[in-house]
Amino acid sequence: MQASNEQTPHEAPTCTGDSIKKSLPDLNYRHAHQLLDAFGSHFGRHNPFQHPVTSKDTVWFFDNTAYRSPQNPSQWNAEFVATYFLTDSGKDLGHVVAVLTDLLGRSDTPAEVIQDRVQPFVDTTLPSRVVELAFGGEEAVGSPMKLGPSERNGLSSNDLEIISQSNWKDGNVAKPTPLVSKGTTVINMETHFAEPDGWGFISDIDDSIKITLTPSPLGILSSTFTSIPQPVAGMPELYAHIAKLLSPAWFYLSASPYNLYPFLREFRQEHYPPGTIILRDASWTNLSGFLTNLTLGTQSYKVSRMDKIHQWLPKRRMICLGDSTQSDPEAYGEIYHKYPGWVKAIYIRKVTDVAEFNEADKNSDTRFEKAFLDVPKEIWKTFTHPSELVSLVDALQP
């Protein structure tokens, strides 16, 4: 499921980053799987040892976007992603919190908040799990939808037909019901319905709409684990304006690992329009893998995920927004050429004043002209403040 980690020139780690990575703790119990669960996960959909979640488990159901089936336009399909943990199993929690506190210094963030953010990184992932979901509640007509079995990293992904008697329309939101044992810890999901035509918006998260300080390893760790997340100034207002003007299907495409889903979902709910958050798989066993996950191989990863979005909504007119810290310009330039006519606008935020950020190189005209070679100038624009984009967005046809 995971795209290549091949490093591009705009993803090179710093020496300081390497030294910080060496100081981060191992996550010894993340993959403390039962033997049959681990073995069975190698069989994929045909796992002979798959079994339902129990009251001792935690299941997160990720928000998704439903699209019309290409084979049967009267039918809705969607990718259903879930992740499974053994609840509160992270024996390393106290140690990891202590290491981060020592590394980053004291924080005004309450200790329990830091623990909640760290918990998904230390809890044991659960392969070979399945779970059922129903649209319309537990008494829904038709068979429940089966998700899973989960892979070794505790993730399951299934492209499924939505079983429901409801007459869903563009812009509708459904809240399917998990069919789990009493006591199972659950994060519920929403399904957003998108017809083939209209607008779509693909947004990066880190340093595009949320201050993460991606070029700085200490900045990443602090903004993720010990700080109150802050939106980029002016971006919530811009996105609210776009939502009102164009009513797009929203996709938040990030190289952050899936362990941050509750954290990022809460941030998005507070500041930005609802939509599908797409995060990266994670199989590492040291917290340094988090930094690597966020900074290496991001171009190929993001292109692979935009391939999926194009598969779901090939007729939508897409707007792509990212920033200059990693490979958003290169990824969006690649996807523009890959699907001619699909991407109608590309906006890149030029990040400044971040430690360990080679601003002269990353924000240079030479870099952007190379990334957007043969992309018409009226399609792409760099900006420093969101207000620069309002007139361009207003010129787009609803």
Side-chain angles (χ1 to χ4, degrees):
M1 294 174 62
Q2 185 160 324
S4 168
N5 280 335
E6 182 180 352
Q7 181 176 308
T8 72
H10 296 285
E11 298 167 349
T14 65
C15 293
T16 303
D18 290 340
S19 63
I20 290 173
K21 288 178 182 180
K22 292 178 181 178
S23 70
L24 294 175
D26 291 331
L27 307 174
N28 297 310
Y29 296 95
R30 276 199 76 210
H31 300 304
H33 307 138
Q34 296 294 320
L35 180 60
L36 288 181
D37 287 345
F39 178 68
S41 67
H42 294 287
F43 292 90
R45 298 283 187 271
H46 305 290
N47 186 339
F49 304 110
Q50 59 184 274
H51 51 101
V53 297
T54 72
S55 59
K56 297 180 180 180
D57 301 337
T58 292
V59 188
W60 302 346
F61 297 91
F62 288 50
D63 294 341
N64 64 1
T65 298
Y67 57 92
R68 293 288 187 180
S69 167
Q71 291 75 33
N72 181 6
S74 65
Q75 179 60 54
W76 291 97
N77 289 7
E79 180 186 38
F80 289 83
V81 177
T83 188
Y84 312 76
F85 302 96
L86 184 61
T87 303
D88 294 334
S89 56
K91 298 179 182 180
D92 295 325
L93 178 61
H95 173 61
V96 174
V97 170
V99 170
L100 288 172
T101 302
D102 289 344
L103 184 63
L104 301 173
R106 298 187 62 181
S107 168
D108 294 333
T109 304
E112 58 270 22
V113 173
I114 299 175
Q115 291 175 357
D116 285 346
R117 294 184 192 174
V118 173
Q119 189 83 56
F121 288 86
V122 297
D123 277 350
T124 301
T125 58
L126 296 175
S128 301
R129 295 304 192 274
V130 294
V131 67
E132 291 186 335
L133 204 65
F135 279 75
E138 297 184 14
E139 302 301 323
V141 176
S143 302
M145 302 166 57
K146 175 185 170 184
L147 278 57
S150 51
E151 299 180 2
R152 187 175 183 273
N153 58 8
L155 274 174
S156 68
S157 173
N158 304 85
D159 293 303
L160 300 173
E161 173 186 320
I162 294 177
I163 302 172
S164 172
Q165 289 190 335
S166 299
N167 183 25
W168 303 109
K169 297 179 180 179
D170 187 63
N172 287 168
V173 180
K175 298 182 179 182
T177 302
L179 307 180
V180 297
S181 304
K182 184 178 180 180
T184 304
T185 303
V186 169
I187 291 181
N188 289 308
M189 67 176 292
E190 292 182 345
T191 294
H192 299 262
F193 290 80
E195 293 284 3
D197 298 319
W199 284 93
F201 201 105
I202 300 173
S203 172
D204 176 51
I205 296 178
D206 297 297
D207 291 314
S208 294
I209 63 173
K210 171 186 168 291
I211 296 174
T212 303
L213 309 176
T214 306
S216 167
L218 287 178
I220 293 174
L221 294 171
S222 176
S223 64
T224 300
F225 295 112
T226 65
S227 302
I228 303 299
Q230 298 294 326
V232 172
M235 293 304 287
E237 294 79 7
L238 175 66
Y239 277 39
H241 179 67
I242 293 171
K244 183 177 181 180
L245 181 68
L246 301 178
S247 299
W250 292 89
F251 298 92
Y252 297 89
L253 174 57
S254 172
S256 290
Y258 70 84
N259 314 69
L260 290 178
Y261 179 70
F263 170 64
L264 293 176
R265 186 176 191 251
E266 183 178 349
F267 171 79
R268 189 220 67 206
Q269 288 175 324
E270 183 175 354
H271 299 289
Y272 295 102
T276 297
I277 298 177
I278 302 174
L279 301 176
R280 205 169 187 178
D281 305 349
S283 57
W284 25 268
T285 56
N286 183 287
L287 197 59
S288 64
F290 166 51
L291 299 178
T292 301
N293 204 80
L294 194 61
T295 56
L296 296 184
T298 58
Q299 180 176 341
S300 59
Y301 158 74
K302 288 193 172 185
V303 169
S304 71
R305 295 308 180 263
M306 288 188 283
D307 286 340
K308 277 193 172 184
I309 297 173
H310 179 267
Q311 180 183 337
W312 302 334
L313 298 171
K315 296 181 181 179
R316 287 254 172 173
R317 293 167 286 173
M318 305 305 292
I319 302 169
C320 299
L321 187 144
D323 65 84
S324 61
T325 59
Q326 297 296 327
S327 296
D328 288 343
E330 290 73 21
Y332 292 153
E334 181 177 344
I335 212 71
Y336 176 87
H337 291 295
K338 193 170 186 177
Y339 302 111
W342 191 51
V343 176
K344 301 299 184 182
I346 300 171
Y347 305 133
I348 300 295
R349 176 178 177 253
K350 296 169 73 173
V351 176
T352 59
D353 300 325
V354 178
E356 301 175 48
F357 181 52
N358 186 347
E359 189 174 320
D361 178 45
K362 295 293 186 73
N363 290 339
S364 69
D365 291 340
T366 301
R367 182 219 176 156
F368 296 127
E369 288 168 1
K370 181 179 179 181
F372 298 122
L373 183 66
D374 295 328
V375 177
K377 280 291 293 182
E378 61 269 21
I379 295 291
W380 66 276
K381 177 177 176 58
T382 61
F383 68 98
T384 55
H385 193 277
S387 60
E388 300 170 46
L389 302 181
V390 174
S391 61
L392 297 178
V393 170
D394 288 345
L396 299 174
Q397 297 295 319

